[in-house]
Amino acid sequence: MKEALAALTSLLRRLLARRGPALSLAFLALVALAAIFAGLLPLDPLAQSIADSLKPPSAEAWFGTDELGRDILSRVVYGARTSLVTAFGAVLIAALVGIPVGLVAGFYGDWRDSLLMRCIDVLLALPNILFAMALIAVLGRSQGAALIAVGIAGIPGFARIARAQVMALRQLDFVMAVRSFGGGPGYIMLRTLLPNILSPLVVQAIVLASIAILLEAALAFLGVGVPPPTPSWGEMLRTGKSYLYEAPTYAVLPGLVLTLTILSFDTIGRALTAILDRDETNASGATIGGRR
Amino acid sequence: MTKLSRRQFCMTGLALAGAAPLLTLGPASAQQLKGGTLRVAVLSELANFDPQQLSTVNFHVIKNLYDSLIEYTPEGKPQPSLATEWKIAPDKTSVSLTLRDGVTFHSGALFKSDSVLATLQKGADPKRGKNVFSTMSIVKDWSAPDERTVVINFKAPAPERQILDLLQFLIPIEAKGIDTVETVPAGTGPYTLVSRAVGQGLVLKANPKYWREKQPIAQDLVFTVFSEDAAATAALESGAVDIVYNGSSRSAARLKGAGYQVFAGPGPLVQVFRINSTRGPFRNKSFRQAFNYLMDRASILRVGYAGMGKVVALPWAPASPAFDDNYTKTYAYDLEKAKKLIAASGLSADEIKGWKLLVNGSDEPSVAISQIVQGSLQKAGIPIELDMRQGAEYVTALLGGDFAATFGAVGNVQKFPSRVTTNSIYRTSGNPILKDPHPHPDYVAAIAKVDAAAGGEAEVKAAYDNLNRVMVDEAFGVPTNSYDVGLIVASEKVGGITLDIDNLFIARTIGFK
């Protein structure tokens, strides 16, 4: 536990040493804090004031107001909750299903691999957005449905990465050693292999989080996301585009927050990949399996 | 008496407003209009060419491919068209029509009484009559004493306005083309079909044998289908099209400010908060009546329709003979009155909540106005959720009555009042939402009284007043506002726009300045 914490602290320190990832982390922290503590702020995303509709940004309403006179900043802050909950939930679903599938397929490499990978291929063959829309049509329009749809769409990514990593590791000495000491398949997969493939999976989780936020916004933009009046960045973009002439900031500001959030996740994901790749190279150069 | 004067005043105002663009042109200017290719952007792909399947998706083609027996001026005055004369029998049980001579169909065949008989036959057929079928309910039979005369007999004495509405709604189709009319137009209209590219548009050309003198002005008429309102308006602003037809009120309001010509016809739709009075708390009359006061109509009109329209508490356009503006004032948004009615209903706080408001998710105005109502209900202590459904899923729920409440527009609100029963929520029998037997017998009786009021002005007015009173009392449909359908936004280089009573697009008088 201490080792993991130390590794995480080290990783964080190395991320913060770079300007791009540091700024991205700071922005995401701000968004996350605003989303978590939105209830403590003097913001009401549902309060209508038709007389004040489509007002430009001002001291009273920093992001202006929407067509129903609601404060856009409030809706952006509460919309972050929608986006982050969807991202977190989708990553959780994708990881909980995808990683075990990849572990089993990669570890055994027999008919189980073929069967599981064909199922994953079927999922991969379906365009994410179409699949999500079909699922929402069945489950109904809600945040839960959007979250499940995005989560299922993310399963193949985790499964394929886990499988590829396990296939590369399963014949290495440290795994053979565990096996020779009587380690069963379950033990080897969960206690021996999984800790050693976590790095790419963490990167995948971050990448999927950004995809999930974008997909949730896309679904809302297409009119099948979280139903109004629940604030959602995609829904704000969808409605705001109709008022581009009268109130350009209505669509632009939520769009900017959405873009920055995706960009931040992406920047962190890339930085992590670079750092972990460098570690991998260093480790390989020293002794094979040295980190293990 | 006072009410009639006000109505007359409103209709005169409307007529002047509608005719203003034409009046400013004047006869000399109309003659100066030049022909050419008129390019029109539309927001919907037409369903088919059958004029008896009239809906907003084919509003842009029907009056360009066909003519009706008679026309209405924008203020509702009947005018000859394919019928040059119509004589209503003194006992109002029949009407005799004299058909125009020298008119030919697009095929070259002569327009005669046989085509009117075939059209009546189709309209009276429950399977083929489509929209016309309900209007034909008053018709007993018909005959053609000769090639230029048709006599239509009614089951009972029919009010004059109802007879005229029937004639205006009847669009003669060539007898031999009646079975293929969905795919091949078979009319006498000012334009003939050249080509159609499904999903993209259609091209029409001037009918060289058209009977109206010096019409159509433009030789070619090109409709382009746009899926996005913004794309259509951008095409107009860039000069790629000359007219946008049936675009959004919001775009029209913006373009009007930018100097474009905007024309709104006299046949708007009325947005109605439809209540399924067979469900839950809506069985309670007091609870339903509270919704008369829970509609923030001014906000709904402003947010949903850019203020283009009129707040109303009854499902009538100003051109309707039953229009009465007093109800709008009486039933203005008033939370306190609504709360009193909710309290008077005797329903508990738990009983009045928990239902969902069905929303057409494909329609931006519906989404916005539903949220306004949701906010008003919240203030009145009725928390509800929105049930967003898209496209066909919404229409199925709407027409199948699978909802507690929803917004849905009604048409035919400028015609004879009982024509409102062509809309599902207002049907008196076979109502898909309220089912049979109709749960509001007073409403059914009020409609029957209007249909039977073939006597003097006082009798007719009493029947209309009674219907209006019953409608707000039963409150299963709560109108909020009229709004324009078939809005025409034109560049300044085109002139001669003619307004149709049903807001259909009439291209024959349009030319280039």
Side-chain angles (χ1 to χ4, degrees), chain A residues 168-206:
Chain A
L169 298 180
R170 68 182 179 187
Q171 298 301 331
L172 294 185
D173 292 347
F174 75 102
V175 181
M176 301 308 287
V178 176
R179 190 171 287 184
S180 66
F181 281 117
Y187 182 88
I188 295 172
M189 280 189 275
L190 294 177
R191 301 295 299 272
T192 310
L193 290 170
L194 185 59
N196 283 289
I197 63 169
L198 274 181
S199 303
L201 292 177
V202 169
V203 174
Q204 173 63 16
I206 290 170

Side-chain angles (χ1 to χ4, degrees), chain B residues 286-287 290-291 294 335 337-347 352 377 380-382:
Chain B
S286 291
F287 183 66
F291 285 79
L294 278 170
L335 268 179
K337 282 185 182 172
K339 283 178 181 171
K340 278 180 190 164
L341 280 165
I342 293 167
S345 73
L347 296 167
I352 61 174
L377 291 175
I382 311 173

Side-chain angles (χ1 to χ4, degrees), chain B residues 443-491:
Chain B
Y443 164 72
V444 177
I447 288 286
K449 191 174 174 185
V450 165
D451 277 339
E457 196 174 285
E459 183 194 352
V460 172
K461 183 180 178 303
Y464 294 169
D465 288 346
N466 177 57
L467 176 60
N468 289 343
R469 186 188 57 73
V470 169
M471 278 180 149
V472 291
D473 184 60
E474 294 295 335
F476 58 87
V478 181
T480 57
N481 63 289
S482 68
Y483 67 94
D484 296 308
V485 64
L487 273 171
I488 298 171
V489 184
S491 80

Side-chain angles (χ1 to χ4, degrees), chain A residues 48 50-54 67-68 70 75 137 141 222-224 227-229 235 238-239 241-243 245-246, chain B residues 228 233-234 237 250 254 296 299 302-303 361-364 367-368 371-372 374-376 379 386 388 390 393:
Chain A
Q48 299 178 5
I50 308 288
D52 298 319
S53 63
L54 299 175
E67 78 280 13
L68 299 174
R70 298 175 298 202
R75 295 185 67 75
R141 194 175 159 179
L222 292 171
V224 292
E235 180 69 28
R238 170 186 157 87
T239 316
K241 77 174 169 49
S242 302
Y243 300 94
Y245 287 99
E246 298 104 311
Chain B
E228 285 285 335
T233 54
E237 289 176 290
R250 185 159 300 283
R254 181 180 70 78
D296 185 355
S299 296
R302 178 179 164 184
V303 173
S362 314
D363 183 47
E364 278 184 27
V367 175
Q371 289 181 75
I372 293 175
Q374 187 184 30
S376 300
K379 287 177 195 164
L386 303 184
M388 307 286 295
Q390 305 289 321
E393 195 190 1

Side-chain angles (χ1 to χ4, degrees), chain B residues 77-108:
Chain B
K77 193 179 166 196
Q79 299 285 303
S81 181
L82 289 182
T84 54
E85 276 185 66
W86 54 95
K87 287 178 188 157
I88 298 171
D91 63 357
K92 296 183 178 174
T93 56
S94 69
V95 59
S96 176
L97 305 170
T98 304
L99 304 183
R100 188 175 292 278
D101 202 6
V103 177
T104 57
F105 285 101
H106 294 169
S107 66

